[in-house]
Amino acid sequence: GSADLRKTLFQVMDALIKTMPQDDPVYMFLDKKRAQGKPYYVYMTAGANKFLRIYYGRVNEYLSTLPESN
């Protein structure tokens, strides 16, 4: 994949780890993986994948609410 995208996603994951928002599903997932003893790149990549899936779902949900243009 794109090195720039990977770097950006890792920065987002790093910000989540530093701010520790207890109600965020991606942070809860990251914290669970860290508690399981997963290596750094494993839990960061898994968290990035979860973030992208949630983001994609929300964008699709938003786009489905827009009126169709001709």
Side-chain angles (χ1 to χ4, degrees), residues 1 32 44 52 57 60 64 66:
K32 181 178 83 171
M44 290 293 272
L52 287 174
N60 265 349
S64 69
L66 295 176

Side-chain angles (χ1 to χ4, degrees), residues 5-18:
L5 176 60
R6 190 169 44 252
K7 179 181 178 184
T8 302
L9 288 169
F10 271 56
Q11 288 173 338
V12 171
M13 296 305 104
D14 191 46
L16 280 174
I17 290 171
K18 288 178 181 173

Side-chain angles (χ1 to χ4, degrees), residues 22 26-36:
Q22 297 299 318
V26 178
Y27 174 74
M28 292 187 312
F29 182 75
L30 277 172
D31 199 39
K32 181 178 83 171
K33 293 298 174 189
R34 286 173 41 187
Q36 291 173 351

Side-chain angles (χ1 to χ4, degrees), residues 12-64:
V12 171
M13 296 305 104
D14 191 46
L16 280 174
I17 290 171
K18 288 178 181 173
T19 59
M20 296 186 292
Q22 297 299 318
D23 60 341
D24 186 75
V26 178
Y27 174 74
M28 292 187 312
F29 182 75
L30 277 172
D31 199 39
K32 181 178 83 171
K33 293 298 174 189
R34 286 173 41 187
Q36 291 173 351
K38 300 289 183 187
Y40 174 79
Y41 286 108
V42 170
Y43 69 76
M44 290 293 272
T45 304
N49 285 332
K50 182 147 186 98
F51 172 80
L52 287 174
R53 288 175 190 273
I54 291 171
Y55 181 79
Y56 179 77
R58 289 185 182 168
V59 168
N60 265 349
E61 183 179 294
Y62 171 74
L63 291 176
S64 69

